[in-house]
Amino acid sequence: MSAADWYAHKSLGDGLFWIQERFYQSENRANIWLLRGTHQDVVIDTGLGLRSLPEYIDANGLLGKDPQRKNPLLAIATHAHFDHSGGLHQFQQVGVHSAEVDALANGDNFETVTWLSDREIAVAPSPGWRARHYKVKAVQPTHILQEEGPMEAWAGPGLCINNLSSSSCLGDVINLGDRQLTVLHMPGHSRGSICLHDHDNKLLFSGDVVYDGAMIDWLPYSQVSDYISSCERLIGLVDSEQVDQVLPGHYNTFGAKRLHRLSSAYISRAGTCPAKFSTLVWRTLSGLALRASNPRCAC
């Protein structure tokens, strides 16, 4: 199967594209977001990587035909889980939070929670393909994302002059030229989970920190207390009118009121005894299952 068949996309206007893997028919299917800028283009999350995402983007002309464009497409993972990071190895520039650099560099399929079944793939990407052979390929991130950068990178509030040319800490603002993406470290779902905030346009690329579904806090390296703090920050973004639209890691987009409701509901539920017990049980079971399916992982 070609990349042209494997993916599909929809333009949301203003240089923003929503890409999905057509034949990965699972609740784990991640949204892939492509955002064009005058200086730098970014793809936010990369799916399973079973077919070439850069090939699809190029074949469909999603980056335009600007001969002056100098910077290669930057692929950013909102976190290291397999459904978001599987295609990172296909890109020259790769960004991920510092907490999950080692997981990707080592191809740690325990921390990337690599868990795929044949029934989730409606049409095999190649003859004889089987889910049990799928692994996240190791990739060395070229850009290490953190929320707070070195002081010398700052030229005033909200302005980072580090321009992606360095492989060291980026600071917390990714400069696309005509728009800026602020890196917000929002752990809980995973230890390196981030959101990317387009402050001027009030857009929030939320990864798996929040989406319109049950929020998962029982995977390896999930942490409920961190998740509560992250949800409190999300509520703060809504209360300060900094978000109008959320572009999540799964399912459909939604607005600020829904973001507030989802975050508040998690905080209310997470502190209850039934929720604590359920999280403990699911964390134990998921850890055992992942170790069994990835026996050579760095657990």
Side-chain angles (χ1 to χ4, degrees), residues 18-243:
W18 184 359
I19 303 173
Q20 290 190 321
E21 298 174 280
R22 295 174 58 215
F23 300 106
Y24 181 25
Q25 297 181 0
S26 166
E27 290 187 354
N28 288 329
R29 181 176 69 181
N31 295 325
I32 299 167
W33 305 102
L34 176 66
L35 184 60
R36 292 176 55 175
T38 56
H39 172 70
Q40 176 74 57
D41 303 319
V42 297
V43 59
I44 301 169
D45 292 330
T46 59
L48 298 176
L50 293 176
R51 282 293 170 264
S52 174
L53 181 55
E55 179 183 324
Y56 178 84
I57 291 171
D58 183 64
N60 286 275
L62 301 188
L63 297 184
K65 299 180 179 180
D66 183 358
Q68 301 302 316
R69 190 173 301 280
K70 297 180 180 180
N71 293 322
L73 181 60
L74 171 63
I76 298 176
T78 59
H79 60 300
H81 291 168
F82 77 104
D83 46 330
H84 299 259
S85 67
L88 289 177
H89 68 278
Q90 300 170 349
F91 294 85
Q92 296 179 44
Q93 291 196 110
V94 173
V96 69
H97 189 268
S98 58
E100 295 179 344
V101 168
D102 289 345
L104 293 178
N106 296 329
D108 184 346
N109 282 279
F110 179 77
E111 184 161 357
T112 59
V113 296
T114 302
W115 203 340
L116 189 64
S117 66
D118 288 335
R119 68 177 180 275
E120 293 176 293
I121 306 299
V123 179
S126 59
W129 182 91
R130 292 292 181 271
R132 66 178 179 272
H133 301 309
Y134 175 80
K135 300 292 180 184
V136 173
K137 294 183 179 180
V139 59
Q140 182 64 54
T142 56
H143 295 87
I144 300 172
L145 306 176
Q146 297 191 85
E147 182 161 356
E148 294 182 359
M151 291 301 294
E152 60 269 20
W154 289 89
L159 178 62
C160 181
I161 61 175
N162 193 327
N163 63 1
L164 292 178
S165 63
S166 170
S167 61
S168 62
C169 172
L170 290 178
D172 73 347
V173 177
I174 300 170
N175 178 21
L176 306 188
D178 57 339
R179 60 205 307 165
Q180 317 295 318
L181 295 177
T182 302
V183 176
L184 304 177
H185 184 208
M186 297 280 200
H189 177 70
S190 78
R191 57 182 171 180
S193 284
I194 61 171
C195 294
L196 296 172
H197 185 211
D198 181 344
H199 182 273
D200 291 342
N201 295 288
K202 296 187 177 182
L203 300 177
L204 185 72
F205 297 90
S206 66
D208 281 4
V209 176
V210 61
Y211 47 78
D212 202 350
M215 292 152 70
I216 295 175
D217 58 9
W218 41 262
L219 294 169
Y221 303 103
S222 296
Q223 181 60 250
V224 173
S225 59
D226 287 343
Y227 220 147
I228 291 173
S229 296
S230 292
C231 285
E232 290 172 344
R233 293 189 67 191
L234 292 173
I235 291 171
L237 290 175
V238 175
D239 289 345
S240 57
E241 300 183 348
Q242 296 185 60
V243 175

